[in-house]
Amino acid sequence: MTERFRLTLAQLNPTVGDLAGNAALARGAWQAAREAGSRMVALTEMFLTGYQTQDLVMHPAFLRDTMATIERLAADCADGPAIGIGGPCLREGRLMNAYYVLDGGRVTATVFKHHLPNAEVFDEKRLFSSGEVHGPCRVGPLRIGIPICEDSWHPDVCETLAETGAEILLVPNGSPYHREKLDVRVNLMVSRVIETGLPLVYLNMVGGQDDQVFDGASFVLNPGGRLMAQLPAFEEALVHIDFTETPEGWRAGQQAIVAQPDLWEADYHAMVLSLRDYLRKSGFSRVVLGLSGGVDSALVAAIAVDALGPEAVRCVMLPSRYTSRASLEDAAAVARALGCRLDEVPITGPQEAVGEALAPLFAGTQPGITEENIQSRLRGLLLMALSNKFGEMLLTTGNKSEVAVGYCTIYGDMNGGYNPIKDLYKTRVFQTCRWRNTHHRPWMLGPAGEVIPPRVIDKPPSAELRPDQKDEDSLPPYGTLDAILEGLVDREDSLADLVAMGFDADTVRKVERLIFLSEYKRFQSAPGTRLTRRAFWLDRRYPIVNRWRDGG
């Protein structure tokens, strides 16, 4: 009789620190697997604790609670399929990133992660010890090799598992999104399949955690690299995969291949999911933001409405004497198109009061950037007051170009609890607005159609803090600025590299200087969705005080 093995893949959304809630998700998946006749249900890397835990995982009481939760989960799920679940393990004084197999009411195997990532957003060598490479784990008729996440990015662990009798590879992951990440994963996993000749299950976490978004997009490969299943990106999914023993070895049966989003949709979905989860997991259900009539705040409003629904989004226009009639009209048009509330709180009176209070001290000086920043800080003050009074998280709306060069006011327009467009350069902001106007998906809670009027996208950007102000009065055109920033920030190009590409040396020096001078602002900025491999915060860590400049 032909042997069969049904494996349930649980692509779910855990919450860091919610041991009881994550265990409940695991029990729910186990129950569904039991009803489907599965022999095992697999969850992702560090699922029980959520990921990434950062230093929380080193707290003795947290570790004690985690280990107790593992034991209870094993006991509760004794009568049914085995469970594969990630979590920390403290053994002989060494803390390790582990994957547990629970079967028959007890822990039957514990696998330790061998390769610890320590680049980009990862600090695992600071937190964990490297485990020895483990052989395959037997579950029923099947010997399963379990390379944990980074272990599958190197050939040695998978080759050792194949040599020691593994019949399939199950790769549990906590792999965060960045642009074009899915192609990288698939290509690497195809390499592991070709090298070992084994079927491979790539199971990834989904959901937002602080700045990071886990995009799911799990998949199954048969030998030869044939795609047998593709789970959706950015959405939870529970899929049953049937493996059959053949004369050539175990093979996965065909399941649905869910189409994956293009880069524009993936970025947008990441921003929506990260904002939704950041609020949900931190206990907020409503947001407030300043809607200026400009493109950045319009995009953040659209993301917020798609994440929460229009009834949960309050927009506020805070006009000064420099606010144009067009900006007032554009803010109203955006709020109307999105179906969300728009309040107006003029700042002219508060601005005059502050000017009067400071007049004795400012006597004999010329008005300038200080007075401009007072306007921004008054807006931040009033928005924070609304946030406090009504329990609505304030969203900040600065794009990556502005955050990079400090074209933002600390304690002013930088006020807020989250910034979904923090890793989106200005030129991509424009295109993302156009994308949203022509695309609508079931996961969006906002209306379909043109939600950001073309006039908002096409007009010259301005902070409107003085008469006839334009961003390009003090910055290079955004097309030029963003190309230089991609070189200096994303690729770490030198001045000479960029000059060789045709950029003006003085302009590059100016941009580099602004980047370094603005480090203290970014250090105090709100977290925001990571979209690239070089997002500000964990991907790029520079000292606040830094006198070095590239001499070219």
Side-chain angles (χ1 to χ4, degrees), residues 305-353:
V305 166
D306 283 336
L308 306 171
E311 68 286 347
V313 179
R314 180 203 299 264
C315 295
V316 186
M317 176 45 140
L318 300 112
S320 74
R321 63 173 64 94
Y322 304 121
T323 302
S324 66
R325 170 54 54 185
S327 291
L328 292 167
E329 293 170 353
D330 290 343
V334 170
R336 186 167 54 250
L338 290 169
C340 57
R341 175 175 177 168
L342 177 64
D343 294 321
E344 186 172 312
V345 182
I347 67 165
T348 305
Q351 185 182 353
E352 291 173 351

Side-chain angles (χ1 to χ4, degrees), residues 98-178:
Y99 197 75
Y100 298 91
V101 177
L102 317 179
D103 201 6
R106 62 189 183 90
V107 177
T108 58
T110 307
V111 177
F112 300 125
K113 193 173 185 177
H114 178 66
H115 291 289
L116 302 177
N118 218 60
E120 297 178 345
V121 297
F122 296 103
D123 275 328
E124 292 215 351
K125 289 184 180 178
R126 181 173 183 269
L127 302 173
F128 299 112
S129 297
S130 172
E132 296 298 320
V133 179
H134 195 284
C137 308
R138 178 172 286 281
V139 180
L142 192 56
R143 294 190 301 273
I144 304 174
I146 305 176
I148 303 172
C149 198
E150 185 78 7
D151 288 343
S152 69
W153 287 54
H154 306 270
D156 56 341
V157 174
C158 293
E159 287 178 358
T160 299
L161 286 166
E163 291 167 358
T164 53
E167 295 169 303
I168 71 168
L169 298 174
L170 167 62
V171 186
N173 292 269
S175 179
Y177 171 79
H178 65 66

Side-chain angles (χ1 to χ4, degrees), residues 461-478:
S462 171
E464 293 191 323
L465 297 176
R466 63 176 182 269
D468 301 319
Q469 182 184 31
K470 300 291 183 291
D471 289 6
E472 292 183 8
D473 295 342
S474 52
L475 294 174
Y478 277 113

Side-chain angles (χ1 to χ4, degrees), residues 197-270:
L198 299 178
L200 183 146
V201 175
Y202 186 96
L203 176 62
N204 193 28
M205 188 179 292
V206 70
Q209 173 59 36
D210 296 346
D211 65 316
Q212 294 164 46
V213 187
F214 298 93
D215 53 320
S218 306
F219 55 89
V220 179
L221 299 170
N222 263 346
R226 182 182 174 191
L227 186 64
M228 304 305 293
Q230 175 69 70
L231 278 59
F234 303 105
E235 298 178 20
E236 291 188 307
L238 202 69
V239 173
H240 312 295
I241 305 294
D242 289 325
F243 286 88
T244 303
E245 189 176 25
T246 73
E248 293 77 32
W250 289 84
R251 297 293 183 265
Q254 187 68 59
Q255 269 285 359
I257 307 294
V258 179
Q260 299 300 292
D262 65 20
L263 298 183
W264 296 101
E265 180 174 345
D267 272 7
Y268 194 83
H269 203 164

Side-chain angles (χ1 to χ4, degrees), residues 519-537:
E519 199 65 47
Y520 81 101
K521 291 186 180 183
R522 289 190 291 274
F523 191 78
Q524 299 179 65
S525 65
T529 314
R530 177 183 186 254
L531 301 173
T532 70
R533 300 184 68 167
R534 202 65 171 160
F536 292 121
W537 191 36

